[in-house]
Amino acid sequence: VKNMTVFNRIIAIILIISLQACGVGTQSLLGNIGSQPNTSGPAVGPALSQTIEQSEQAKQQAANAPTRTLDIVIPTFDAGLDTTKDGDTPVWPELRRAEANLFAVELKAALERTEKFGAVRITPDRSATAAIYVMGRIAESKGHHVEIDLAVADISGRDLVDENSGFSFSKPKPKMHDIFKTKSFSHNVDEAFFKNPRHKAKNPYQPVFDEAADFVVELLQAYDTKQVNDLAKLSDMRFAASFSEDAFAEHMETKQGRVILTSLPSEEDSLYQKVRTIRVRDQLFVDELQTDYEQFAAKIAPTHRLWQEQTLVEFQAQRQAKKDATKAAVGAALMLGLAIAAGQSAYDNNYDPVGDTLATTAMVGAGMVGIGLVGDAIKSSEEAKMHNELIKELGDSIEIDVAPKVVAFEEKEQQLVGNAKEQFAQWRRFLKTIYELEKTPAKTL
């Protein structure tokens, strides 16, 4: 009986535990019965009219809310004329300067193909305003081989490559603008590339830009919605502070090289409204610059592709000519050595008409062959030099043309002249003039 009592208690305990478990499941299905009351309305039956209206309004606001995305600025590449791989100085600086623009266009296209960002704009330098800056430098560009260095930072000054690089045994490279750490990307063009008709519309360097774009996507995928919105607000404030530090710098502070947004001016602030209007016009101007860069790329692309193809051929010919020159020089040295040895033997040994005649013949023959090989070596070296000069001419044949522009804003006009960087600086000064006129309309400028 006692054993049955213990057994019955055990069964009772198991049943209680089972019922409690079922009760938890039932509560979750029925809206947490016995817990805190549901303040949003009853869990079953028709909702109150006010609740329905609030729900519809929330859905409408969510549908109409703009989806913020990261805008990117790509300053034209550093041509790498001062710091090149292995300390070599490029022999075609004009080509490098042209590629500095062309590579920015190629990287822009690669980033846009990812469909991960908002506007991607090319600018003459890094003084433009954006949430993200992708800065490139040409380490090498030889037609058959390309290498670029990439730095990525946001408007706060955060170095994204440095934060995500980790420990590495690789040889340290000079930082971008002596501030930002870089990541290198390289590609070798296969000699069969130009023989494939399917590659006619492709850039031989495209793989390096696609790889770089994927790297940028990977770096920026950690940004959440709040961070994106904060960067957009910081971009507005830094743009505003570039026109009036006194009025807007108080909303930011700098800590350890990073700019932090601490507050925002009132939406009714007239100067803030004015700056936002100016920024829209500034973005439109930068958008217009994209057409100039794309037209330049379209103009230079065929010539650049021809340079890449011919340079690959010339590189292979130059390499072969150097090999031939080396072989010929070594062969000449050996044959001349045999000739000298044969001649020396003729004088050192006793006179032998037959033997000496053979030695003399060998000496003359080896000498003639050696002289011939020396001539071949000189010829091959001259060919290598000729191929190198041809590469220089191909590079020097590419130049950049930037047409003057006349811009207008609020009934004011300004002619912009010079290269793209000079015109961009003139444009920013023009905008500052417009801002000062609005700020102090009675002031004579």
Side-chain angles (χ1 to χ4, degrees), residues 197-273:
R198 295 181 179 180
H199 295 163
K200 188 174 183 180
K202 290 184 178 181
N203 181 356
Y205 289 171
Q206 182 174 322
V208 80
F209 299 110
D210 289 338
E211 184 182 358
D214 291 339
F215 174 72
V216 175
V217 171
E218 183 180 352
L219 283 181
L220 300 179
Q221 66 183 1
Y223 281 96
D224 57 27
T225 302
K226 183 182 183 304
Q227 288 175 310
V228 172
N229 290 336
D230 288 346
L231 284 177
K233 294 173 184 176
L234 181 58
S235 299
D236 289 340
M237 204 50 49
R238 288 202 59 185
F239 182 84
S242 70
F243 287 88
S244 178
E245 183 177 350
D246 295 338
F248 301 107
E250 63 179 355
H251 300 286
M252 299 173 288
E253 63 179 27
T254 303
K255 291 183 178 180
Q256 298 179 343
R258 296 272 296 276
V259 182
I260 301 171
L261 186 66
T262 57
S263 61
L264 287 171
S266 170
E267 291 291 334
E268 285 71 34
D269 187 322
S270 60
L271 289 181
Y272 185 46
Q273 291 176 349

Side-chain angles (χ1 to χ4, degrees), residues 1 25 64 103 115 144 155 205 245 280 295 329 349 366 373 380 408:
V1 175
N64 295 334
F103 283 17
E115 299 182 350
H144 63 282
I155 187 68
Y205 289 171
E245 183 177 350
V280 171
Q295 289 176 349
N349 299 329
L373 289 175
S380 297

